[in-house]
Amino acid sequence: MDKKGQIKIMHTTALSADGITSFVLNVAALTDKNRFVVDDTVYRQGKELYEERFCSYGGKKYTVDIWNIRSKPFKMWKKFWGSYHVLRQAQTDIFHLDTESTDQLFLAFAAKLAGVKAVFYHSHSTRSGRNGMLRKIIEMICKPMMPLVVDEYLACSQEAAASVFPKHILKKKKYRLINNGIIVKDYI
């Protein structure tokens, strides 16, 4: 919690033109500002498409620049430690990891190491499990490790949950569905 007693939530999205950003913008706009602060971490330098709109809701954008790093292991290393430092600096209470696969689980470990009280793992897609043998190996390693660091499992659909979460979480229905959506009046 911050000095005003507000709970600090950190999302991870690029604040660009995609469904995850729409979800995060809706959360930031509709959240009770007296109780919560909604911040976001992006993983590249520069101005984001919806950065001003996001910040107008009282949130802050944090940056961990990994955009130009070519080496995948070094990119993951920098993303891990950069996220760790941002989460500590922001004094985050809840890390809401918006993702499309299991391969971002290492960020949940960074959050716990940084002292974050709760990690929400939010599956927004069914992409997981479709990209060859390496992806399947990553999933076989990550799925059983999720309960070590994930406190809440969220998904936009049953399919998104099934593609990312461990089987025992699915069988016991220990996840919540939060359907993706838009605020219709914004488009009328």
Side-chain angles (χ1 to χ4, degrees), residues 67-84:
W67 194 254
N68 292 318
I69 299 173
R70 297 207 187 274
S71 165
K72 183 91 172 173
F74 184 62
K75 185 179 273 196
M76 289 177 68
W77 178 258
K78 179 149 186 191
K79 192 172 186 179
F80 177 91
W81 286 110
S83 296
Y84 164 83

Side-chain angles (χ1 to χ4, degrees), residues 86-151:
V86 162
L87 292 164
R88 281 190 58 96
Q89 175 191 353
Q91 299 178 334
T92 303
D93 296 302
I94 299 171
F95 183 49
H96 188 124
L97 182 54
D98 299 288
T99 187
E100 299 175 336
S101 66
T102 57
D103 67 359
Q104 297 300 301
L105 184 63
F106 71 98
L107 293 176
F109 279 96
K112 288 297 186 173
L113 186 64
V116 173
K117 294 176 187 99
V119 173
F120 292 17
Y121 207 89
H122 194 161
S123 174
H124 287 271
S125 177
T126 58
R127 285 188 197 176
S128 199
R130 295 188 179 179
N131 297 31
M133 187 56 75
L134 180 59
R135 176 71 62 196
K136 290 187 189 310
I137 291 168
I138 290 169
E139 286 181 15
M140 285 175 23
I141 294 167
C142 290
K143 281 185 178 185
M145 293 172 47
M146 280 185 158
L148 298 174
V149 289
V150 175
D151 299 292

Side-chain angles (χ1 to χ4, degrees), residues 32-43:
D32 180 348
K33 309 298 184 278
N34 294 317
R35 294 184 57 212
F36 301 96
V37 174
V38 180
D39 293 329
D40 187 62
T41 300
V42 298
Y43 294 98

